[in-house]
Amino acid sequence: MSGKDFVEKDYYKVLGVPKDATATEIKKTYRKLAREFHPDANKGDAKAEERFKDISEAYDVLSDEKRRKEYDEARSLFANGGFRAGGPGTGNYSFDFGDLFSGTQGGSGGIGDVFGGLFNRGGRQAQPRRGADVETEVTLSFEEAVDGATVPLRMTSQAPCRVCNGTGAKSGTTPRVCPTCVGAGTVSRGQGAFALSEPCKDCKGRGMIVDDPCTDCHGSGRASSARTMQVRIPAGVQDAQRIRLKGKGAQGERGGQPGDLYVTVHVDAHPVFGRKGDNLTVTVPVTFPEAALGGTIEVPTLGGPSVKLKLPPGSANGLTMRARGKGATRKDGTRGDLLVTVEVVVPQHVTGDALSALEQYREATASDDPRAALFRAAKGA
């Protein structure tokens, strides 16, 4: 966002909300407008696309409490005539907008502090730099994914060089302040009445220049660092789920906050149990007499004692029953259910008394045609 946009755009008007609108009201209005003007819903409509960009830009500022406060203060400053430009003899203080935003007027910070959060501008001291985010992967057993686990993760990331302590300079020497940006790490480039900030090319944004670089990091001040840390994977994690661990990424520079660690979880399959959300699944074979006459069947559970379920008479193949509280652990500590699917087993070979009994059963049920209803429906009867 440029300084001109900041001065001229009324983000409250863009969203159509009052200046005292709550965060909830702003979010609700933004979602409604975003759905209405989203490019996917207005293909080929350049005006809708531009409107969507303005809405997103306004929400980006007003949804952040700190940035909204800075925006309100700056708007109020201009609205009250706190800064007026004039020529000789007008009695007004003459200034250049480039000085205003770069904070060079009178050697002070100008209003750079007010705009700092919006324009990402620094003063005469290089700003802290947040550490990079780090991504890694871990493979869990089915049981670990269901109940949660603490696993060791070995990660390699960038950290301050131990030889030069992050200065980038050879032992016994120190970096010097960059004469181009005077240690700011950024320089101002004029564009009309405004000045735009960009990283200093001479020091590559560091604010310091190393004349005699460290032989270990070659002047970068950074080096690869390997570390092992214990990470808690929450219970109920799903296969391919991505978990964010705040502040566990690479270390920052110049006192900056560390980055985040993103862990992609892979879950091994189980030979018996499956998973549907917070519920576990299992298929249990039953005999034809059990399915026809009903009875009590024993069902295994994951990591616990088996449970007994009542199988109703006339149970069809594929019937699903529920064992409550025997599933995966939820975020609130409760457990899902175990979904038990019945699979009627047909014997491959029948001999002796069993064969005689089945033949008698077939004769006794010869008048019961299970396909009769099917044919009646096919004929439209």
Side-chain angles (χ1 to χ4, degrees), residues 41-228:
N42 299 273
K43 294 187 182 297
D45 190 337
K47 290 185 178 180
E49 183 176 353
E50 190 64 30
R51 178 83 168 107
F52 180 76
K53 290 180 181 179
D54 291 341
I55 293 166
S56 300
E57 182 180 303
Y59 181 70
D60 189 46
V61 173
L62 299 185
S63 63
D64 186 293
E65 183 178 352
K66 181 180 178 182
R67 298 183 73 191
R68 181 181 179 182
K69 181 179 179 182
E70 292 170 344
Y71 171 74
D72 289 342
E73 289 176 351
R75 290 279 296 180
S76 176
L77 194 62
F78 279 98
N80 293 332
F83 295 90
R84 293 187 299 272
T90 61
N92 292 328
Y93 178 64
S94 176
F95 65 91
D96 180 273
F97 267 100
D99 293 335
L100 174 66
F101 289 112
S102 62
T104 58
Q105 283 286 352
S108 68
I111 59 172
D113 293 338
V114 177
F115 296 154
L118 289 171
F119 299 133
N120 298 317
R121 298 190 55 80
R124 284 307 180 191
Q125 182 178 1
Q127 295 297 296
R129 181 179 296 177
R130 179 181 180 274
D133 293 335
V134 177
E135 295 199 18
T136 188
E137 297 181 347
V138 64
T139 300
L140 302 181
S141 67
F142 191 88
E143 292 86 344
E144 289 174 328
V146 169
D147 296 325
T150 299
V151 296
L153 289 180
R154 181 172 176 80
M155 298 177 299
T156 300
S157 62
Q158 291 292 306
C161 175
R162 294 183 179 181
V163 176
C164 64
N165 295 319
T167 65
K170 188 176 181 180
S171 179
T173 67
T174 57
R176 59 185 174 89
V177 175
C178 174
T180 303
C181 64
V182 199
T186 58
V187 293
S188 297
R189 177 170 56 86
Q191 183 174 326
F194 293 88
L196 303 179
S197 175
E198 61 183 14
C200 176
K201 295 180 180 179
D202 292 338
C203 66
K204 295 180 175 59
R206 296 188 65 194
M208 308 294 286
I209 290 180
V210 177
D211 295 314
D212 197 357
C214 168
T215 56
D216 216 62
C217 67
H218 307 290
S220 68
R222 310 288 287 176
S224 294
S225 173
R227 55 185 172 132
T228 300

Side-chain angles (χ1 to χ4, degrees), residues 10 12 17-21 68 72 75:
D10 185 344
Y12 294 101
V17 297
K19 292 185 178 181
D20 59 352
R68 181 181 179 182
D72 289 342
R75 290 279 296 180

Side-chain angles (χ1 to χ4, degrees), residues 281-340:
T281 62
V282 64
T283 299
V284 178
V286 298
T287 65
F288 175 75
E290 287 176 325
L293 304 176
T296 301
I297 60 173
E298 191 172 5
V299 178
T301 64
L302 183 68
S306 60
V307 295
K308 292 183 178 181
L309 297 178
K310 184 75 172 179
L311 185 66
S315 294
N317 188 60
L319 171 70
T320 298
M321 299 183 293
R322 187 182 297 267
R324 299 194 178 278
K326 300 299 180 180
T329 304
R330 300 189 180 102
K331 292 182 180 180
D332 60 3
T334 62
R335 298 184 75 98
D337 301 332
L338 175 62
L339 306 180
V340 182

Side-chain angles (χ1 to χ4, degrees), residues 227-302:
R227 55 185 172 132
T228 300
M229 60 188 301
Q230 300 294 320
V231 174
R232 179 65 185 175
I233 305 297
V237 65
Q238 302 275 5
D239 183 48
Q241 185 173 340
R242 196 164 178 252
I243 299 173
R244 176 194 178 202
L245 301 174
K246 189 176 181 180
K248 299 298 184 181
Q251 298 180 35
E253 294 185 59
R254 299 185 291 274
Q257 295 294 320
D260 298 333
L261 171 63
Y262 291 89
V263 182
T264 300
V265 180
H266 302 288
V267 181
D268 288 336
H270 195 278
V272 174
F273 296 96
R275 181 91 177 267
K276 282 187 178 180
D278 295 329
N279 298 325
L280 299 182
T281 62
V282 64
T283 299
V284 178
V286 298
T287 65
F288 175 75
E290 287 176 325
L293 304 176
T296 301
I297 60 173
E298 191 172 5
V299 178
T301 64
L302 183 68

